[in-house]
Coordinates of all heavy atoms in Angstrom, one line a residue:
D229 N -42.4 6.3 -20.1 CA -42.1 7.5 -20.9 C -42.3 7.2 -22.5 O -41.8 6.1 -23.0 CB -40.6 7.9 -20.7 CG -40.2 9.0 -21.6 OD1 -40.8 10.3 -21.4 OD2 -39.3 8.9 -22.4
G230 N -42.9 8.2 -23.2 CA -43.1 8.0 -24.6 C -44.2 6.9 -25.0 O -44.4 6.4 -25.9
N321 N -37.3 18.2 -31.9 CA -38.6 18.2 -32.7 C -38.7 19.4 -33.6 O -39.1 20.5 -33.2 CB -39.7 18.1 -31.8 CG -41.1 17.9 -32.7 OD1 -41.2 18.4 -33.9 ND2 -42.2 17.4 -32.1
W355 N -35.4 11.8 -34.3 CA -36.4 12.2 -33.3 C -37.3 11.0 -33.1 O -38.1 10.6 -34.0 CB -37.1 13.4 -33.7 CG -38.1 13.9 -32.6 CD1 -39.4 13.9 -32.5 CD2 -37.7 14.4 -31.4 NE1 -39.8 14.3 -31.3 CE2 -38.7 14.8 -30.6 CE3 -36.3 14.8 -30.8 CZ2 -38.7 15.4 -29.3 CZ3 -36.3 15.4 -29.5 CH2 -37.4 15.7 -28.9
A357 N -39.3 10.6 -30.3 CA -40.4 11.0 -29.3 C -40.5 10.1 -28.1 O -41.6 10.0 -27.5 CB -41.7 11.1 -30.0
S358 N -39.5 9.5 -27.9 CA -39.3 8.7 -26.5 C -37.9 9.1 -26.0 O -36.9 8.8 -26.5 CB -39.3 7.2 -26.7 OG -40.7 6.7 -26.6
M359 N -38.0 10.0 -24.9 CA -36.6 10.5 -24.4 C -35.7 9.4 -24.0 O -34.5 9.5 -24.2 CB -36.9 11.3 -23.1 CG -35.7 12.0 -22.6 SD -36.1 12.8 -21.0 CE -34.7 13.7 -20.8
F373 N -29.6 15.7 -27.3 CA -31.0 15.7 -27.2 C -31.5 17.0 -26.8 O -31.0 17.4 -25.7 CB -31.4 14.6 -26.3 CG -32.9 14.7 -25.9 CD1 -33.8 14.2 -26.9 CD2 -33.3 15.1 -24.7 CE1 -35.2 14.3 -26.5 CE2 -34.7 15.1 -24.2 CZ -35.6 14.7 -25.3
Y375 N -34.9 19.5 -25.9 CA -36.4 20.0 -25.9 C -36.3 21.4 -25.3 O -36.4 21.5 -24.1 CB -37.4 19.0 -25.2 CG -38.6 19.0 -25.9 CD1 -39.1 17.8 -26.4 CD2 -39.4 20.2 -25.9 CE1 -40.4 17.9 -27.1 CE2 -40.6 20.3 -26.6 CZ -41.1 19.0 -27.3 OH -42.4 19.1 -27.9
K389 N -41.0 21.4 -21.6 CA -41.9 20.3 -22.0 C -41.6 19.1 -21.0 O -42.6 18.5 -20.5 CB -41.6 19.9 -23.5 CG -42.0 18.4 -23.7 CD -43.4 18.2 -24.1 CE -43.7 16.6 -24.6 NZ -45.0 16.6 -25.0
L390 N -40.3 18.8 -20.7 CA -40.0 17.7 -19.9 C -40.0 18.0 -18.4 O -39.8 19.1 -18.0 CB -38.6 17.1 -20.3 CG -38.7 16.8 -21.9 CD1 -37.3 16.4 -22.3 CD2 -39.6 15.7 -22.2
R391 N -40.3 16.9 -17.6 CA -40.5 17.1 -16.2 C -39.1 16.9 -15.5 O -38.3 16.0 -15.7 CB -41.5 16.0 -15.7 CG -43.0 16.5 -15.9 CD -43.5 16.6 -17.2 NE -43.4 15.5 -18.1 CZ -44.3 15.2 -19.1 NH1 -45.4 15.9 -19.2 NH2 -44.0 14.3 -19.8
E395 N -37.8 13.0 -15.2 CA -37.3 13.0 -16.6 C -35.8 13.5 -16.7 O -34.9 13.1 -16.7 CB -38.3 13.5 -17.5 CG -39.5 12.6 -17.8 CD -40.5 13.3 -18.7 OE1 -40.6 14.6 -18.9 OE2 -41.2 12.5 -19.4
Ligands
P6P545 P1 -43.2 15.6 -28.8 C1 -42.8 11.8 -24.5 O1 -44.1 12.1 -24.3 C2 -41.9 12.9 -24.1 O2 -42.2 13.2 -22.8 C3 -40.3 12.5 -24.2 O3 -40.2 11.2 -23.9 C4 -40.1 12.8 -25.7 O4 -38.8 13.2 -25.9 C5 -41.1 14.1 -25.9 O5 -42.1 14.1 -25.0 C6 -41.7 14.1 -27.3 O6 -42.4 15.3 -27.4 O7 -43.6 17.1 -28.7 O8 -42.2 15.4 -29.9 O9 -44.3 14.8 -28.8

Side-chain angles (χ1 to χ4, degrees):
D229 177 66
N321 184 336
W355 191 251
S358 277
M359 184 184 193
F373 169 75
Y375 213 112
K389 160 81 174 184
L390 300 173
R391 276 61 58 148
E395 289 174 329

